[in-house]
Amino acid sequence: MTVTPIWQWSAVETAEAIRSGRASAEDVVGAHVERLHSANPALNAVVVDLSEQAMVAARAADRAQASGAEFGPLHGVPVTIKINIDVTGQANSNGVVGLKDVIAPGDSPVVSNLKGAGAIILGMTNTPEFSMRWFTDNPLHGATLSPWDRAFTCGGSSGGAGASVAAGIGAIAHGNDIGGSLRWPASCNGVSTIKSTQGRIPAFNPSATVERPLMAQFMSTQGPLAREVADVRLGLEVMSRRDPRDPWWVPAPLIGAPQPSPIKVVVAPIPEDMEPDAEVMSLIDRAAGYLSDAGYAVERRPIPDLWAAWRLWCDLISTEIATLQMAQFRELGSAPFHQALSGMLDIANILDGEGYMRAIAQRTRLIREWLAFLEDWPIILAPVSIQPTPRINTDLAGKAALRRLFLNDFRFISAINVLGLPSAVTPVGFAAGLPVGTQLIASRYREDLCLDAAAAIEARVGIMARTLWAREADGGFS
C-alpha cells in the first residue's frame, strides 16, 4: 500500500491527524522542513527560512497538546507568510533592497490570527519589489520559478506563495491581492485561493510609518492559497478573525443566507476589443459545464461594465502612486521595477484633486450596478487571464507587451479589486501545458458562494498538485 507523504496532506487532513494523535506537530513540521530543503532550491519560493523556529514551535505545540490545553483549528499546521507583511523580528522587505532592515516590531493581524489558531510559520515567501508586478523577481532575493516549468512565470505578486504551496512546502500560504496578486499566482501554479471582500480579513503592519493611500486600502485584501478548496475555506475562517487595528474590518458571517435553487451562474462574455486564446476559453467553457453538471443554472449574458471598472482601478491606483508613493519608488526601486511601473502609469489617467474625488464617487455607482446584477445572478464565472501563462518577466519585453498584459490579458482580475467583491480561483485544466484557473465572483461577503462553486469544479478536475508531484517523481522539476 502506498503511503502518502505527510507534506502532501491537505491542511484539513493535517490538522485532524495532529488533533487525533495520528501524527505529532513535530512529525508534520519536520516533514515540511525536509520538503522545503529539497524542493525550494529549484524554485526560490521561500526566501526566509524559519525552519529552526518552526521545529521549536512544533515541539511546544506537542507539549501543549499533551498537557490538555485547548488548541486551535490549525494546531501544528505549517504555513508560509509573504514577505510584505509583518512577522515579529523578521524583515518586512517587500522585495526591496532598501527595506531589508525594516524589522517588524509585532505581528500583522493575519499572522496573529494564524498563530492564534495554532499554525506554525515555516518560512516567508518571495514577491516582486513593492509587490507591484505580476512576475516575481527582485534584486534582494532573485526570481521565483514555476514548479511546472522554469521558463514560465509563477505569477505575482504572491508568486512565492503560489509556487511554494503547489510544490508541497507548507499546507497553506498567505498572500495578498490589490490587482490580482492572489488569483494570478493561483492560476499559474495550479492551486486555489480566495480574494475576499474588502473588510473581511483585517490588515495592518506595525512597522509602517505612514498609512497606505485610501483606495489602496479599499482595493487590497489578504488571503490564503492552498492546494484544495477546503483548505482555502479553513484559511479564510482563521485569517478573518477580528483585529481592532483594522478600522475597516467587518464582522460579517462566513456563511450567508441560502440561495434559491438552482443557483444561477453567468459566464462572462469576452469584450470585443480583447484577444482571447482559444484553448484558455475552452477551459472556461469546461468549467461552465462542470457547474451545470453540479446543478447550477448556467447562462451566457452580458455583465456590468468591465472596462469602466478596470479603467477606474488603473486610474485610482496610478494616481495614488504618482502623488504619494513615487518619491520612495524612485529612491528605492530598481530599473526593471521602474520599467514595469512606467507601463501602468503610461496607460493610466493621472487625476487631479477633483478628478480623484469624482472617480471615488464613480466607484460607488459601479459597485451598485454590480451588486444589483449579482442579486439576480449570484455567481459570475470568468477567466483569470484570457491568455496562457507567459514566460518569466514578459512585462520587461517592451511597452507593447506590457500594454497587452494590462489591457488584454488581466482585465478580468484587476477590475474586481476596485469593486471590493470576493472572487475565488480554482484550477480547471491546462493550456499550452501549464495550469489555468477560473474565477468565481460573487456579491459582498458571499465568499461561501465562490468557494462552493470552486469546490464543484475541483470535484471534477481533481487536485492539480498531485499531477505536479507525479511529474516530479518521474524526472524532477522541468
Side-chain angles (χ1 to χ4, degrees):
M1 182 178 69
T2 302
V3 177
T4 303
I6 289 175
W7 59 265
Q8 294 184 7
W9 294 355
S10 71
V12 171
E13 182 182 7
T14 300
E16 189 282 327
I18 294 171
R19 185 165 51 248
S20 67
R22 183 160 59 93
S24 67
E26 185 173 4
D27 292 336
V28 167
V29 174
H32 279 268
V33 167
E34 289 183 9
R35 179 60 178 171
L36 165 64
H37 293 158
S38 64
N40 194 60
L43 303 176
N44 192 39
V46 175
V47 292
V48 179
D49 185 346
L50 300 177
S51 297
E52 291 185 11
Q53 298 95 313
M55 292 304 300
V56 171
R59 297 182 191 106
D62 286 334
R63 290 194 298 271
Q65 184 169 346
S67 73
E70 293 186 10
F71 50 88
L74 288 176
H75 184 78
V77 177
V79 302
T80 59
I81 304 295
K82 189 175 175 181
I83 58 171
N84 69 353
I85 70 168
D86 282 358
V87 176
T88 302
Q90 301 299 321
N92 183 342
S93 69
N94 209 0
V96 179
V97 173
L99 301 179
K100 65 182 177 62
D101 296 322
V102 177
I103 305 301
D107 289 331
S108 67
V110 165
V111 173
S112 293
N113 284 341
L114 286 167
K115 287 181 177 179
I120 294 175
I121 300 174
L122 190 65
M124 300 181 70
T125 56
N126 207 17
T127 186
E129 287 171 273
F130 294 104
S131 299
M132 284 291 295
R133 289 174 60 197
W134 285 308
F135 299 81
T136 299
D137 191 2
N138 65 67
L140 180 61
H141 295 297
T144 296
L145 304 179
S146 167
W148 294 90
D149 190 322
R150 296 186 199 180
F152 291 82
T153 185
C154 63
S157 64
S158 305
S164 63
V165 79
I169 303 169
I172 295 174
H174 156 266
N176 34 47
D177 189 316
I178 197 171
S181 293
L182 280 164
R183 292 161 290 154
W184 175 230
S187 181
C188 292
N189 291 287
V191 299
S192 295
T193 193
I194 183 80
K195 185 203 84 65
S196 60
T197 311
Q198 190 275 324
R200 167 70 78 185
I201 298 176
F204 170 70
N205 278 324
S207 65
T209 56
V210 296
E211 299 293 341
R212 300 184 77 184
L214 178 64
M215 292 312 302
Q217 295 180 43
F218 283 1
M219 295 192 293
S220 176
T221 61
Q222 310 296 313
L225 299 99
R227 297 180 290 271
E228 302 187 22
V229 172
D231 294 347
V232 173
R233 201 184 298 267
L234 177 58
L236 174 67
E237 175 190 336
V238 168
M239 290 181 179
S240 62
R241 294 175 179 179
R242 175 181 180 270
D243 191 298
R245 294 174 293 176
D246 186 347
W248 303 118
W249 180 83
V250 175
L254 286 165
I255 305 296
Q259 292 289 307
S261 184
I263 297 175
K264 294 189 287 186
V265 177
V266 167
V267 181
I270 305 301
E272 292 183 359
D273 66 319
M274 296 174 69
E275 299 177 9
D277 174 80
E279 191 174 12
V280 170
M281 297 318 300
S282 72
L283 292 174
I284 303 303
D285 291 342
R286 184 183 302 175
Y290 292 159
L291 291 176
S292 181
D293 293 345
Y296 289 85
V298 180
E299 292 192 23
R300 298 174 187 275
R301 60 173 54 224
I303 63 172
D305 195 337
L306 181 73
W307 170 253
W310 182 89
R311 168 52 66 191
L312 197 62
W313 170 83
C314 183
D315 292 351
L316 284 169
I317 195 170
S318 298
T319 296
E320 291 187 340
I321 289 170
T323 305
L324 296 175
Q325 297 171 291
M326 189 56 77
Q328 185 188 45
F329 288 175
R330 286 197 186 101
E331 178 187 357
L332 301 179
S334 69
F337 166 77
H338 284 291
Q339 181 180 342
L341 178 63
S342 69
M344 181 170 72
L345 298 181
D346 286 346
I347 295 168
N349 299 307
I350 305 302
L351 307 170
D352 60 15
E354 179 182 347
Y356 179 72
M357 289 185 279
R358 289 187 182 280
I360 292 176
Q362 168 74 354
R363 174 177 178 265
T364 300
R365 186 175 70 80
L366 278 177
I367 293 173
R368 186 181 296 115
E369 291 173 357
W370 282 74
L371 292 178
F373 182 87
L374 289 163
E375 282 295 295
D376 296 326
W377 304 92
I379 298 173
I380 298 172
L381 174 69
V384 177
S385 170
I386 61 170
Q387 289 289 325
T389 301
R391 290 184 173 270
I392 58 173
N393 293 337
T394 297
D395 60 339
L396 303 181
K399 287 191 174 183
L402 220 163
R403 187 177 183 87
R404 180 180 175 86
L405 289 170
F406 272 107
L407 295 175
N408 187 75
D409 298 6
F410 298 143
R411 193 182 303 178
F412 274 98
I413 46 177
S414 299
I416 305 307
N417 289 85
V418 79
L419 301 168
L421 298 173
S423 172
V425 165
T426 200
V428 66
F430 295 90
L434 295 166
V436 170
T438 187
Q439 265 196 112
L440 299 141
I441 304 158
S443 192
R444 287 166 60 85
Y445 305 106
R446 292 314 306 259
E447 290 87 355
D448 57 329
L449 296 180
C450 300
L451 292 171
D452 288 346
I457 294 171
E458 179 185 79
R460 294 292 300 274
V461 174
I463 309 304
M464 195 168 278
R466 293 173 186 163
T467 301
L468 174 65
W469 300 333
R471 290 183 184 181
E472 181 191 352
D474 288 339
F477 294 121
S478 58

